[in-house]
C-alpha cells in the first residue's frame, strides 16, 4: 500500500530534497517522483514511456479498448504493462483524447520536459493535491504528505471552514490547508518551474438530447446495456466480489447485475443500528435472497462510533460530515475480513439520475419571481445552499466575531455552484434546470464527498470500492436522456428504475427513497456526548477561536430552532474538530 508525491524545481537535486521532506522514498539520481510507503493507497511507479516518467494511483476498467487505441495509433503497448504505465502511454501518444478514452479511477503525475502534469480521473474517484512554495511545486495523493512539507508552512484556510460547514464536505479546489489546492476531476494541470499553471478540461458532462421525441423505452434499454457493461468491467477476474447493499434501488440493482454477470460468489453487506430503530433490513434481505448472495448484516453501536470516530476522520484527506463514515469503515473491514479485494456500491444514482434532494430547488424555481424580487444576483445559488440544510444559515450564530470578520472579504461559497447553476460553454452547457442540478451534484457532492470517502475508507483496508453508476458512459447517457424520463412526475430516477425492473422485486423498484436513518441525535445524547463536550468545549477548540461556545452549548442541549437537524449540524462541528486535531492544525 502506498500513495505518491512529486516535486518540480529548476534544480533537480533541490526537487528531490523537497520530495524527501514529504515522506517519499526518493531515488538519489532519479526524477522527483516517488512513492510514500505505508500510507493506504494504490500507488505504483515510477514508470517510463516515450521519454516521460510518471507515478500514479491508477485502476483502469477498459484496458482492451486502450490497448487497441494505442495499436491503432501505431504505438502498441505491452499487453501486460501495469495500469499506470498504460495510462502514461495513452497520455504520451494520444494526449487528452487518450485520457478521455480511459475508464477507471486514477490520479497521475507525469514529468514531461521541464513541467509536471497532474491528471485526475473523469469523476474524481482518486484525489490529487498540489501547492507551491519557495519556487518549487509539490503534488501528492496524500494531503498529509503536503502537511509535512516544511517549505509550505501551511496553516488553516478559514474560507474552507465556511465551505465545509455549508456543504458538509469541501466542494471544489480549496482544502483546509492554506496554499494547498485539489486538482478537479476531468482536468489536466500543467505546472511549470516558473510558477505558471495551465489547466485543460479533457472531459465535462454535456447535455446532448438528440431525439426528445424518442419513446422512453429507448432510453431505458440503452441504459440497461450500459449498466451491464459498467458492472461487468468492475467485477474482479476469477474471484468473489462484495456489494454494499442498503436495500435502496441503486445498491439493489448493482447487486442484481453482479449476481447475474459474475461467475463467482457475490457477498452482500448491510448495516443495522439496532432493531429498535427504523431500518431497511427487510428490503436488503429480500434483495439478497432474490439474488442468492452470501449476506451479512453488520450491527453498528453508538459506542463503536464513539470509539472509532477519530480514527475514521484521520483517514480522510478532507473531512466529511457524514455520520456513516465509521459504519463505512467497519463495512470495509468486514469485506476485507472475508478475503475480498473488490467491493461494489450503488453510489451515484441520485446525483446522476435525479434523486429527491433536487425537489426543494425545483419547488424554489416555481416561485422564482418571488425570489427575484429580493434583487439577489445569486438567488438560485443561495437557495441551493439552503436546501442542503447544513450550517449555511447558522454561520452568523456559530462562528465567532473574529472568524466572521476575517471572512468578510473572502470569496463566498456560492462560487462553487455558480458554474453549474449558471453554466457557461466551458462548464458544460445545461439548459434544463434538472440537468443543471444534477451536474452540480455530480461535480460537488459526487466528486468531493461520495467517491473520495469510498476511496479513502476502502483503501485503508487494502480493498477497492468501485461505483458502476458513476461510469462515464452511464453519466453521458443520463445527460442525453430528456429530464422528464429521469424525474417523471413524482417518480424519481424513473429511467433507471425501468432499466432494471425485470431484475428486482417490484416492492424494491417502486418503494420511495428513505435513505439510511442514522441515529445521530441519539448518539450525541449518549455515547458521543462526553466526547463532543470534551472536544468542542475544551481548551484546544477555544484557542482555535472558530466557534462561539454559547452556540455549541446550546446545540448540545438541543435548544433553539434547530430541530430536527441540530444533531446533523453538531455532527459537522465535531467532525471538523476531530479532523483538525488529526492533522495538527491550529
Amino acid at each position: 500500500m502506498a500513495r505518491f508525491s512529486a516535486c518540480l524545481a529548476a534544480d533537480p537535486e533541490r526537487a528531490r530534497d523537497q520530495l524527501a521532506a514529504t515522506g517519499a522514498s526518493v531515488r538519489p539520481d532519479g526524477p522527483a517522483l516517488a512513492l510514500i510507503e505505508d500510507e493506504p493507497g494504490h500507488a505504483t511507479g515510477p514508470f517510463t514511456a516515450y521519454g516521460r516518467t510518471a507515478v500514479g494511483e491508477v485502476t483502469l476498467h477498459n484496458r482492451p479498448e486502450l490497448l487497441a487505441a494505442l495499436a491503432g495509433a501505431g504505438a502498441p503497448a505491452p499487453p501486460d504493462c501495469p495500469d499506470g504505465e498504460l495510462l502514461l502511454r495513452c497520455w504520451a501518444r494520444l494526449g487528452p483524447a487518450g485520457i478521455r478514452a480511459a475508464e477507471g479511477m486514477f490520479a497521475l503525475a507525469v514529468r514531461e520536459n521541464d513541467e509536471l502534469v497532474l491528471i485526475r480521473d473523469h469523476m474524481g474517484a482518486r484525489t490529487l493535491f498540489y501547492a507551491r512554495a519557495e519556487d518549487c511545486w509539490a503534488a501528492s495523493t496524500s494531503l498529509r504528505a503536503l502537511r509535512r512539507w516544511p517549505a509550505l508552512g501551511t496553516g488553516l484556510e478559514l474560507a474552507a471552514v465556511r465551505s465545509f460547514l455549508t456543504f458538509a464536505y469541501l466542494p471544489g479546489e480549496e482544502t483546509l490547508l492554506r496554499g494547498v489546492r485539489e486538482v478537479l476531476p476531468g482536468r489536466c494541470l500543467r505546472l511549470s518551474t516558473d510558477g505558471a499553471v495551465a489547466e485543460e478540461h479533457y472531459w465535462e458532462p454535456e447535455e446532448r438530447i438528440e431525439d426528445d421525441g424518442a419513446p422512453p423505452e429507448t432510453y431505458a434499454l440503452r441504459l440497461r446495456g450500459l449498466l451491464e457493461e459498467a458492472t461487468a468491467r468492475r467485477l474482479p477476474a476469477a474471484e468473489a466480489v462484495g456489494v454494499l447493499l442498503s436495500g435502496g434501488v441503486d445498491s439493489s440493482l448493482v447487486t442484481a447485475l453482479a449476481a447475474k454477470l459474475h461467475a463467482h460468489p457475490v457477498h452482500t453487506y448491510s448495516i443495522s443500528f439496532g432493531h429498535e430503530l427504523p431500518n431497511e433490513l427487510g428490503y436488503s434481505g429480500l434483495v439478497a435472497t432474490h439474488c442468492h448472495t452470501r449476506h451479512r448484516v453488520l450491527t453498528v453501536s453508538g459506542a463503536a462510533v464513539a470509539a472509532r470516530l477519530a480514527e475514521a476522520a484521520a483517514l480522510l484527506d478532507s473531512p466529511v460530515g457524514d455520520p456513516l463514515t465509521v459504519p463505512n469503515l467497519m463495512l470495509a473491514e468486514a469485506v476485507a475480513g472475508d478475503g475480498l479485494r473488490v467491493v461494489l456500491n450503488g453510489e451515484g444514482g441520485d446525483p446522476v439520475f435525479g434523486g429527491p434532494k433536487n425537489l426543494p430547488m425545483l419547488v424554489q424555481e416555481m416561485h422564482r419571481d418571488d425570489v427575484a424580487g429580493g434583487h439577489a444576483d445569486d438567488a438560485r445559488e443561495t437557495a441551493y445552499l439552503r436546501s442542503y440544510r447544513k450550517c449555511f444559515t447558522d454561520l452568523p450564530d456559530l462562528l465567532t466575531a473574529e472568524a466572521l470578520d476575517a471572512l468578510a472579504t473572502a470569496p463566498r461559497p456560492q462560487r462553487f455552484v455558480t458554474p453549474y447553476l449558471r453554466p457557461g460553454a466551458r462548464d458544460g452547457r445545461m439548459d434544463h434546470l434538472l440537468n443543471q442540478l444534477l451536474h452540480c451534484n455530480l461535480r460537488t457532492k459526487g466528486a468531493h464527498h461520495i467517491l473520495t470517502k469510498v476511496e479513502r475508507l476502502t483503501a485503508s483496508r487494502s480493498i477497492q470500492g468501485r461505483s458502476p453508476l458513476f461510469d462515464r458512459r452511464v453519466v453521458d447517457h443520463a445527460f442525453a436522456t430528456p429530464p422528464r424520463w429521469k424525474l417523471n412526475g413524482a417518480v424519481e430516477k424513473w429511467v433507471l428504475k425501468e432499466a432494471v425492473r425485470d431484475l428486482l422485486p417490484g416492492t424494491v423498484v417502486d418503494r420511495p427513497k428513505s435513505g439510511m436513518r442514522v441515529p445521530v441525535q441519539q448518539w450525541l445524547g449518549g455515547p458521543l456526548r462526553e466526547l463532543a463536550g470534551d472536544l468542542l468545549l475544551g481548551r484546544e477548540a477555544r484557542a482555535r477561536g472558530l466557534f462561539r461556545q454559547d452556540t455549541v452549548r446550546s446545540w448540545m442541549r438541543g435548544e433553539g430552532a434547530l430541530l430536527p437537524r441540530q444533531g446533523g449540524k453538531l455532527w459537522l462541528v465535531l467532525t471538523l474538530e476531530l479532523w483538525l486535531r488529526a492533522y495538527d492544525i491550529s
Side-chain angles (χ1 to χ4, degrees), residues 357-373:
K357 291 187 178 179
N358 298 287
L359 297 181
M361 276 297 295
L362 294 172
V363 172
Q364 183 269 344
E365 197 71 11
M366 294 170 60
H367 303 281
R368 188 164 176 78
D369 289 342
D370 294 338
V371 174

Side-chain angles (χ1 to χ4, degrees), residues 517-541:
R517 300 182 184 180
V518 187
V520 173
Q521 194 65 44
Q522 182 176 323
W523 291 344
L524 288 169
L528 279 168
R529 181 175 181 83
E530 185 176 350
L531 174 66
D534 290 345
L535 289 173
L536 300 180
L537 302 175
R539 179 169 54 85
E540 190 170 339

Side-chain angles (χ1 to χ4, degrees), residues 3-9 15 18-20 22-24 32-36 55-57 107-110 116-119 127-133 136-149 152 179-183 189-191:
R3 301 176 83 174
F4 73 75
S5 284
C7 282
L8 177 70
Q18 297 297 316
L19 183 63
T22 69
L33 303 161
L35 302 184
I36 306 171
V55 289
E57 293 196 46
L108 190 72
V110 183
L116 182 64
V117 179
L118 306 179
I119 304 171
T127 50
L128 183 54
F129 306 94
Y130 67 102
R132 182 168 177 81
C136 179
W137 287 107
S140 182
T141 50
S142 166
L143 195 72
R144 201 177 299 276
L146 295 179
R147 177 78 175 104
R148 291 192 294 260
W149 188 27
L152 191 59
V180 179
R181 290 292 177 261
E182 183 176 343
V183 180
L189 285 187
R190 190 177 293 273
L191 309 179

Side-chain angles (χ1 to χ4, degrees), residues 158-501:
L158 191 56
V161 171
R162 179 170 62 183
S163 299
F164 172 75
L165 295 170
T166 296
F167 290 89
Y169 56 89
L170 296 179
E173 76 287 347
E174 69 181 356
T175 74
L176 283 162
L177 299 184
R178 190 183 309 121
V180 179
R181 290 292 177 261
E182 183 176 343
V183 180
L184 295 178
R187 313 287 176 91
C188 298
L189 285 187
R190 190 177 293 273
L191 309 179
S192 302
T193 54
D194 63 1
V197 181
E199 181 182 64
E200 180 171 358
H201 298 222
Y202 70 82
W203 180 83
E204 190 66 34
E206 296 181 26
E207 185 179 75
R208 294 182 176 178
I209 302 172
E210 297 178 356
D211 186 2
D212 200 0
E217 295 79 9
T218 302
Y219 296 100
L221 185 62
R222 173 60 176 154
L223 177 57
R224 172 60 171 271
L226 292 172
L227 290 171
E228 292 197 1
E229 291 176 12
T231 304
R233 287 178 170 187
R234 287 161 176 79
L235 293 170
E239 61 185 83
V241 68
V243 184
L244 303 184
L245 175 60
S246 70
V249 67
D250 301 335
S251 62
S252 296
L253 75 87
V254 172
T255 299
L257 287 171
K260 174 186 175 182
L261 300 170
H262 205 37
H264 300 272
V266 176
H267 298 244
T268 48
Y269 302 83
S270 298
I271 294 173
S272 169
F273 298 112
H275 290 286
E276 69 278 5
L277 296 170
N279 60 66
E280 298 181 289
L281 296 179
Y283 291 106
S284 60
L286 174 62
V287 172
T289 300
H290 180 78
C291 297
H292 306 290
T293 67
R294 302 179 182 182
H295 192 53
R296 287 181 59 184
V297 177
L298 183 69
T299 300
V300 178
S301 68
V305 172
R308 306 198 62 184
L309 186 56
E311 174 192 1
L315 289 170
L316 302 173
D317 287 299
S318 295
V320 172
D322 182 349
L324 285 173
T325 304
V326 171
N328 289 155
L329 177 60
M330 295 173 68
L331 282 171
E333 291 173 342
V335 172
D338 285 341
L340 307 182
R341 297 191 303 157
V342 172
V343 61
L344 307 185
N345 60 66
E347 301 286 9
D350 285 350
V352 176
F353 289 99
K357 291 187 178 179
N358 298 287
L359 297 181
M361 276 297 295
L362 294 172
V363 172
Q364 183 269 344
E365 197 71 11
M366 294 170 60
H367 303 281
R368 188 164 176 78
D369 289 342
D370 294 338
V371 174
H375 303 291
D377 293 335
D378 58 1
R380 178 181 281 183
E381 291 90 331
T382 300
Y384 183 91
L385 300 187
R386 287 176 179 273
S387 74
Y388 264 77
R389 300 180 70 191
K390 303 302 180 184
C391 291
F392 178 65
T393 59
D394 304 292
L395 292 174
D397 296 319
L398 176 59
L399 297 177
T400 62
E402 294 77 11
L404 290 171
D405 287 344
L407 287 167
T409 58
R412 304 175 70 204
Q414 283 88 338
R415 73 188 188 279
F416 292 113
V417 300
T418 295
Y420 312 110
L421 301 182
R422 301 176 187 271
R426 192 186 74 168
D427 302 310
R429 181 73 225 180
M430 304 281 176
D431 291 323
H432 292 80
L433 175 60
L434 179 62
N435 283 340
Q436 291 173 2
L437 294 172
L438 297 182
H439 192 196
C440 188
N441 297 342
L442 180 72
R443 281 321 206 187
T444 56
K445 187 173 185 178
H448 299 282
H449 172 186
I450 299 172
L451 285 168
T452 52
K453 182 189 70 168
V454 168
E455 162 64 15
R456 296 313 324 141
L457 295 178
T458 54
S460 75
R461 296 306 178 260
S462 302
I463 60 176
Q464 284 194 13
R466 300 178 181 178
S467 308
L469 296 182
F470 276 112
D471 182 274
R472 172 175 50 85
R473 295 184 304 167
V474 169
V475 172
D476 283 337
H477 180 68
F479 285 109
T481 300
R484 68 177 179 275
W485 303 133
K486 287 177 281 194
L487 183 58
N488 185 8
V491 181
E492 302 133 5
K493 300 184 286 190
W494 182 87
V495 69
L496 182 65
K497 294 175 180 178
E498 291 305 305
V500 299
R501 181 170 291 280

Side-chain angles (χ1 to χ4, degrees), residues 59-78:
T59 301
L60 297 175
H61 302 317
N62 64 335
R63 285 180 57 91
E65 294 174 14
L66 299 178
L67 289 167
L70 286 170

Side-chain angles (χ1 to χ4, degrees), residues 397-398 537 547-557 559:
D397 296 319
L398 176 59
L537 302 175
F547 305 118
R548 289 177 48 176
Q549 296 288 291
D550 58 336
T551 298
V552 172
R553 287 191 178 91
S554 175
W555 287 13
M556 292 186 66
R557 290 193 296 264
E559 297 174 353

